[in-house]
mmCIF file of all heavy atoms in Angstrom:
data_model
loop_
_atom_site.group_PDB
_atom_site.id
_atom_site.type_symbol
_atom_site.label_atom_id
_atom_site.label_comp_id
_atom_site.label_asym_id
_atom_site.label_seq_id
_atom_site.Cartn_x
_atom_site.Cartn_y
_atom_site.Cartn_z
ATOM 1 N N THR A 60 -20.087 9.880 50.331
ATOM 2 C CA THR A 60 -19.764 10.008 51.760
ATOM 3 C C THR A 60 -18.275 9.903 52.018
ATOM 4 O O THR A 60 -17.833 10.041 53.153
ATOM 5 C CB THR A 60 -20.456 8.891 52.569
ATOM 6 O OG1 THR A 60 -20.012 7.629 52.037
ATOM 7 C CG2 THR A 60 -21.961 8.982 52.479
ATOM 8 N N ARG A 61 -17.508 9.613 50.984
ATOM 9 C CA ARG A 61 -16.067 9.340 51.147
ATOM 10 C C ARG A 61 -15.859 8.166 52.095
ATOM 11 O O ARG A 61 -14.833 8.075 52.770
ATOM 12 C CB ARG A 61 -15.309 10.552 51.683
ATOM 13 C CG ARG A 61 -14.794 11.515 50.635
ATOM 14 C CD ARG A 61 -15.913 12.274 49.997
ATOM 15 N NE ARG A 61 -15.426 13.153 48.919
ATOM 16 C CZ ARG A 61 -16.209 13.756 48.057
ATOM 17 N NH1 ARG A 61 -17.524 13.596 48.115
ATOM 18 N NH2 ARG A 61 -15.709 14.512 47.122
ATOM 19 N N GLY A 62 -16.825 7.249 52.133
ATOM 20 C CA GLY A 62 -16.703 6.083 53.005
ATOM 21 C C GLY A 62 -15.887 4.996 52.333
ATOM 22 O O GLY A 62 -15.868 4.871 51.103
ATOM 23 N N ALA A 63 -15.210 4.188 53.142
ATOM 24 C CA ALA A 63 -14.449 3.063 52.602
ATOM 25 C C ALA A 63 -14.302 1.995 53.668
ATOM 26 O O ALA A 63 -14.221 2.289 54.857
ATOM 27 C CB ALA A 63 -13.074 3.517 52.135
ATOM 28 N N GLY A 64 -14.277 0.742 53.214
ATOM 29 C CA GLY A 64 -14.029 -0.376 54.115
ATOM 30 C C GLY A 64 -13.251 -1.431 53.376
ATOM 31 O O GLY A 64 -13.422 -1.597 52.162
ATOM 32 N N SER A 65 -12.378 -2.136 54.099
ATOM 33 C CA SER A 65 -11.612 -3.163 53.406
ATOM 34 C C SER A 65 -11.188 -4.259 54.367
ATOM 35 O O SER A 65 -11.065 -4.038 55.580
ATOM 36 C CB SER A 65 -10.455 -2.515 52.654
ATOM 37 O OG SER A 65 -9.230 -2.724 53.235
ATOM 38 N N VAL A 66 -11.005 -5.455 53.802
ATOM 39 C CA VAL A 66 -10.501 -6.598 54.575
ATOM 40 C C VAL A 66 -9.376 -7.249 53.793
ATOM 41 O O VAL A 66 -9.409 -7.323 52.564
ATOM 42 C CB VAL A 66 -11.611 -7.643 54.860
ATOM 43 C CG1 VAL A 66 -12.623 -7.092 55.864
ATOM 44 C CG2 VAL A 66 -12.317 -8.093 53.580
ATOM 45 N N GLY A 67 -8.359 -7.714 54.511
ATOM 46 C CA GLY A 67 -7.221 -8.348 53.841
ATOM 47 C C GLY A 67 -6.848 -9.656 54.514
ATOM 48 O O GLY A 67 -6.920 -9.778 55.739
ATOM 49 N N GLY A 68 -6.469 -10.644 53.705
ATOM 50 C CA GLY A 68 -5.991 -11.923 54.234
ATOM 51 C C GLY A 68 -6.973 -12.595 55.177
ATOM 52 O O GLY A 68 -6.584 -13.219 56.153
ATOM 53 N N MET A 69 -8.257 -12.498 54.839
ATOM 54 C CA MET A 69 -9.302 -13.008 55.734
ATOM 55 C C MET A 69 -9.630 -14.462 55.384
ATOM 56 O O MET A 69 -9.770 -14.811 54.220
ATOM 57 C CB MET A 69 -10.549 -12.120 55.587
ATOM 58 C CG MET A 69 -11.617 -12.402 56.598
ATOM 59 S SD MET A 69 -12.983 -11.239 56.440
ATOM 60 C CE MET A 69 -13.554 -11.630 54.775
ATOM 61 N N GLU A 70 -9.790 -15.283 56.417
ATOM 62 C CA GLU A 70 -10.010 -16.724 56.199
ATOM 63 C C GLU A 70 -11.446 -17.135 56.524
ATOM 64 O O GLU A 70 -12.008 -16.710 57.544
ATOM 65 C CB GLU A 70 -9.045 -17.524 57.088
ATOM 66 C CG GLU A 70 -7.592 -17.280 56.696
ATOM 67 C CD GLU A 70 -6.589 -17.811 57.711
ATOM 68 O OE1 GLU A 70 -7.001 -18.350 58.757
ATOM 69 O OE2 GLU A 70 -5.386 -17.659 57.442
ATOM 70 N N GLY A 71 -12.027 -17.947 55.650
ATOM 71 C CA GLY A 71 -13.263 -18.652 55.973
ATOM 72 C C GLY A 71 -14.540 -17.833 55.993
ATOM 73 O O GLY A 71 -15.558 -18.304 56.498
ATOM 74 N N ILE A 72 -14.527 -16.637 55.445
ATOM 75 C CA ILE A 72 -15.757 -15.826 55.378
ATOM 76 C C ILE A 72 -16.245 -15.864 53.931
ATOM 77 O O ILE A 72 -15.496 -15.581 52.995
ATOM 78 C CB ILE A 72 -15.498 -14.378 55.845
ATOM 79 C CG1 ILE A 72 -15.014 -14.363 57.299
ATOM 80 C CG2 ILE A 72 -16.754 -13.515 55.670
ATOM 81 C CD1 ILE A 72 -16.004 -14.884 58.333
ATOM 82 N N VAL A 73 -17.523 -16.209 53.761
ATOM 83 C CA VAL A 73 -18.043 -16.483 52.416
ATOM 84 C C VAL A 73 -18.119 -15.208 51.566
ATOM 85 O O VAL A 73 -17.869 -15.251 50.360
ATOM 86 C CB VAL A 73 -19.435 -17.159 52.513
ATOM 87 C CG1 VAL A 73 -20.040 -17.397 51.136
ATOM 88 C CG2 VAL A 73 -19.330 -18.475 53.284
ATOM 89 N N HIS A 74 -18.443 -14.069 52.187
ATOM 90 C CA HIS A 74 -18.620 -12.847 51.402
ATOM 91 C C HIS A 74 -17.721 -11.711 51.923
ATOM 92 O O HIS A 74 -18.159 -10.837 52.684
ATOM 93 C CB HIS A 74 -20.083 -12.419 51.406
ATOM 94 C CG HIS A 74 -20.947 -13.347 50.614
ATOM 95 N ND1 HIS A 74 -20.779 -13.545 49.260
ATOM 96 C CD2 HIS A 74 -21.956 -14.179 50.996
ATOM 97 C CE1 HIS A 74 -21.655 -14.434 48.834
ATOM 98 N NE2 HIS A 74 -22.374 -14.832 49.864
ATOM 99 N N PRO A 75 -16.482 -11.690 51.460
ATOM 100 C CA PRO A 75 -15.564 -10.616 51.878
ATOM 101 C C PRO A 75 -16.083 -9.221 51.546
ATOM 102 O O PRO A 75 -15.822 -8.266 52.297
ATOM 103 C CB PRO A 75 -14.283 -10.910 51.091
ATOM 104 C CG PRO A 75 -14.388 -12.321 50.659
ATOM 105 C CD PRO A 75 -15.839 -12.692 50.605
ATOM 106 N N ILE A 76 -16.836 -9.077 50.442
ATOM 107 C CA ILE A 76 -17.327 -7.732 50.095
ATOM 108 C C ILE A 76 -18.293 -7.230 51.174
ATOM 109 O O ILE A 76 -18.309 -6.032 51.501
ATOM 110 C CB ILE A 76 -17.991 -7.711 48.689
ATOM 111 C CG1 ILE A 76 -18.253 -6.266 48.239
ATOM 112 C CG2 ILE A 76 -19.284 -8.525 48.642
ATOM 113 C CD1 ILE A 76 -17.026 -5.448 47.994
ATOM 114 N N THR A 77 -19.077 -8.148 51.743
ATOM 115 C CA THR A 77 -19.988 -7.745 52.820
ATOM 116 C C THR A 77 -19.206 -7.415 54.088
ATOM 117 O O THR A 77 -19.543 -6.470 54.816
ATOM 118 C CB THR A 77 -21.033 -8.861 53.061
ATOM 119 O OG1 THR A 77 -21.784 -9.016 51.845
ATOM 120 C CG2 THR A 77 -21.989 -8.518 54.194
ATOM 121 N N ALA A 78 -18.142 -8.163 54.333
ATOM 122 C CA ALA A 78 -17.282 -7.832 55.481
ATOM 123 C C ALA A 78 -16.694 -6.431 55.300
ATOM 124 O O ALA A 78 -16.670 -5.623 56.245
ATOM 125 C CB ALA A 78 -16.176 -8.874 55.615
ATOM 126 N N ALA A 79 -16.253 -6.131 54.082
ATOM 127 C CA ALA A 79 -15.690 -4.789 53.813
ATOM 128 C C ALA A 79 -16.762 -3.721 54.044
ATOM 129 O O ALA A 79 -16.491 -2.667 54.635
ATOM 130 C CB ALA A 79 -15.154 -4.728 52.392
ATOM 131 N N ARG A 80 -17.981 -4.006 53.593
ATOM 132 C CA ARG A 80 -19.047 -3.014 53.789
ATOM 133 C C ARG A 80 -19.362 -2.823 55.270
ATOM 134 O O ARG A 80 -19.617 -1.706 55.721
ATOM 135 C CB ARG A 80 -20.305 -3.415 53.009
ATOM 136 C CG ARG A 80 -21.354 -2.340 53.142
ATOM 137 C CD ARG A 80 -22.456 -2.424 52.156
ATOM 138 N NE ARG A 80 -23.403 -1.346 52.390
ATOM 139 C CZ ARG A 80 -24.575 -1.242 51.811
ATOM 140 N NH1 ARG A 80 -24.942 -2.130 50.909
ATOM 141 N NH2 ARG A 80 -25.371 -0.232 52.086
ATOM 142 N N ARG A 81 -19.331 -3.913 56.044
ATOM 143 C CA ARG A 81 -19.563 -3.773 57.491
ATOM 144 C C ARG A 81 -18.458 -2.931 58.136
ATOM 145 O O ARG A 81 -18.718 -2.150 59.046
ATOM 146 C CB ARG A 81 -19.606 -5.142 58.174
ATOM 147 C CG ARG A 81 -20.818 -5.950 57.857
ATOM 148 C CD ARG A 81 -22.090 -5.419 58.546
ATOM 149 N NE ARG A 81 -23.191 -6.323 58.274
ATOM 150 C CZ ARG A 81 -23.829 -6.410 57.115
ATOM 151 N NH1 ARG A 81 -23.490 -5.610 56.112
ATOM 152 N NH2 ARG A 81 -24.793 -7.283 56.937
ATOM 153 N N VAL A 82 -17.219 -3.129 57.673
ATOM 154 C CA VAL A 82 -16.122 -2.310 58.221
ATOM 155 C C VAL A 82 -16.431 -0.839 57.957
ATOM 156 O O VAL A 82 -16.291 0.022 58.841
ATOM 157 C CB VAL A 82 -14.760 -2.700 57.600
ATOM 158 C CG1 VAL A 82 -13.668 -1.714 58.030
ATOM 159 C CG2 VAL A 82 -14.370 -4.118 58.009
#
Side-chain angles (χ1 to χ4, degrees):
T60 58
R61 272 71 184 168
S65 106
V66 290
M69 189 176 63
E70 296 168 358
I72 299 297
V73 177
H74 290 298
I76 191 66
T77 298
R80 184 164 180 190
R81 289 287 185 285
V82 172

